[in-house]
Amino acid sequence: MKIGLLCNFYGFPHYTAKVLEAWKNIPEISTVAVSSYKYQDYVDCGWDVDDTQTPIQLLTEHREFVDYISTGKNANDSFSRNSPLHNILGHDVDYIWLLDQDEVYSEKDIKKAINYISSSEKACTYKINFKNFIFSENQYIEDFNPPRIFAVNVNGTKTLSHFYYENDVAYLINNQEVDYKQLPMAEIPRSLCCPDHYSWIGSPEFLKAKVNYQLKRYNGICSYKWNEKKGQLEFN
C-alpha cells in the first residue's frame, strides 16, 4: 500500500514536530505534501495571525520528510487542500490521508489503521475516531470522527478529483462528478485507532474566532460558545 500524506498546517507551529514524529516511521508513506495557508474567513472572524514559523520548520527540520509545500494567504479550507492533493495525485499512491496540524497519531494508531484497511472489505473513504480535546490537553470527549482517508482509485482507475468543501472530496467517474458520500464508506474502530485532536485548545483570540468561524461556516451551528463574562470556552 502506498499512501500520500496531505498535511494542512497553519497556526500551530508548536505542534509540528509532535504531529509528524510518528509518520516518519511508516514505510507506507510514499509522498508528503503540505499546505500552509492563511484563511481569510478566520481573519474576518478575528484571528489574524501570520504563521511564518511553520513553513520554516518544514523547510529545515522536516526537509527530508516533506516533498512539497504550498503556501499563501486569502485561502479557504477547500482551496488550500487542492494544491497538495494535485501534487500527490501526480504520484503512484493508493490512498490520500489527511493530517491537520492539531492531530497527533501514535505509530500504533497508524499501523493498526493501515492493517485494518488492508484486511477489511474495501471502502472508498475511511473515517477516524479522535479524542477531541477541549479546554485543555487534559480533557477530551469522543464525538469527532471525520473522513480522513480517501482511495485514489475506483474500479481500478484514478478517479479522485478535488476537495469541494473542507474535508469533502469529489471523484470523477465515467466523466461524471460523484460525491464521496455516495460511495462505500467505513469507520476504523476506535479500539484500533484513536489519535489526539487539539482543535479546541488555544488563546482566547483563537477560540473566539473559531466559534465565530464555525457559526458562519455551518449556518449558525457550533457545539461551543465563548463566555465573554468568564473569559472562557463553554459547551453550547
Side-chain angles (χ1 to χ4, degrees):
M1 183 190 299
K2 295 181 180 179
I3 298 171
L5 187 64
L6 196 166
C7 305
N8 196 46
F9 284 11
Y10 191 92
F12 300 92
H14 52 291
Y15 286 141
T16 303
K18 185 176 181 179
V19 168
L20 292 179
E21 181 179 3
W23 296 94
K24 294 181 178 181
N25 299 316
I26 306 301
E28 288 84 358
I29 302 300
S30 63
T31 188
V32 179
V34 182
S35 72
S36 187
Y37 282 85
K38 184 176 184 177
Y39 294 162
Q40 184 60 44
D41 282 343
Y42 266 102
V43 174
D44 295 342
C45 290
W47 193 56
D48 188 359
V49 172
D50 290 317
D51 179 9
T52 58
Q53 191 174 349
T54 292
I56 293 173
Q57 291 173 333
L58 297 172
L59 289 168
T60 54
E61 301 167 39
H62 309 286
R63 186 171 183 176
E64 293 185 2
F65 183 64
V66 175
D67 302 298
Y68 174 86
I69 303 173
S70 178
T71 63
K73 298 181 179 181
N74 302 321
N76 60 46
D77 275 356
S78 308
F79 173 82
S80 66
R81 286 169 170 80
N82 280 323
S83 178
L85 172 64
H86 295 150
N87 176 269
I88 292 175
L89 291 177
H91 296 77
D92 178 21
V93 296
D94 302 301
Y95 293 93
I96 301 289
W97 196 320
L98 290 183
L99 178 66
D100 283 352
Q101 201 175 10
D102 54 12
E103 298 173 354
V104 181
Y105 291 73
S106 68
E107 282 188 49
K108 188 178 292 186
D109 285 325
I110 302 166
K111 290 176 179 178
K112 286 190 174 184
I114 290 173
N115 289 338
Y116 179 83
I117 294 170
S118 298
S119 60
S120 66
E121 184 176 342
K122 293 296 181 286
C124 291
T125 300
Y126 292 88
K127 300 171 73 175
I128 297 286
N129 287 282
F130 286 89
K131 300 183 190 77
N132 200 23
F133 283 81
I134 53 174
F135 313 139
S136 75
E137 293 185 7
N138 300 312
Q139 180 180 355
Y140 68 86
I141 56 177
E142 296 181 345
D143 67 342
F144 186 61
N145 57 347
R148 280 295 182 265
I149 305 168
F150 301 95
V152 170
N153 304 307
V154 173
N155 299 327
T157 303
K158 184 179 286 187
T159 52
L160 183 59
S161 177
H162 64 276
F163 288 92
Y164 66 86
Y165 187 81
E166 292 194 3
N167 301 318
D168 297 335
V169 299
Y171 287 81
L172 191 61
I173 302 174
N174 298 324
N175 294 320
Q176 296 291 323
E177 189 171 299
V178 179
D179 192 311
Y180 79 104
K181 297 173 186 175
Q182 300 174 8
L183 300 170
M185 188 181 304
E187 182 176 301
I188 296 176
R190 182 181 287 108
S191 59
L192 298 179
C193 178
C194 193
D196 297 340
H197 181 244
Y198 295 126
S199 186
W200 287 100
I201 299 172
S203 68
E205 292 77 18
F206 167 71
L207 293 173
K208 283 190 283 187
K210 187 173 179 69
V211 169
N212 291 331
Y213 171 81
Q214 297 242 328
L215 292 172
K216 177 181 178 181
R217 192 79 163 166
Y218 301 113
N219 299 315
I221 298 173
C222 183
S223 299
Y224 305 92
K225 63 182 179 180
W226 182 260
N227 186 318
E228 285 288 355
K229 186 175 181 179
K230 294 183 179 180
Q232 65 184 32
L233 189 68
E234 297 178 342
F235 289 111
N236 191 359

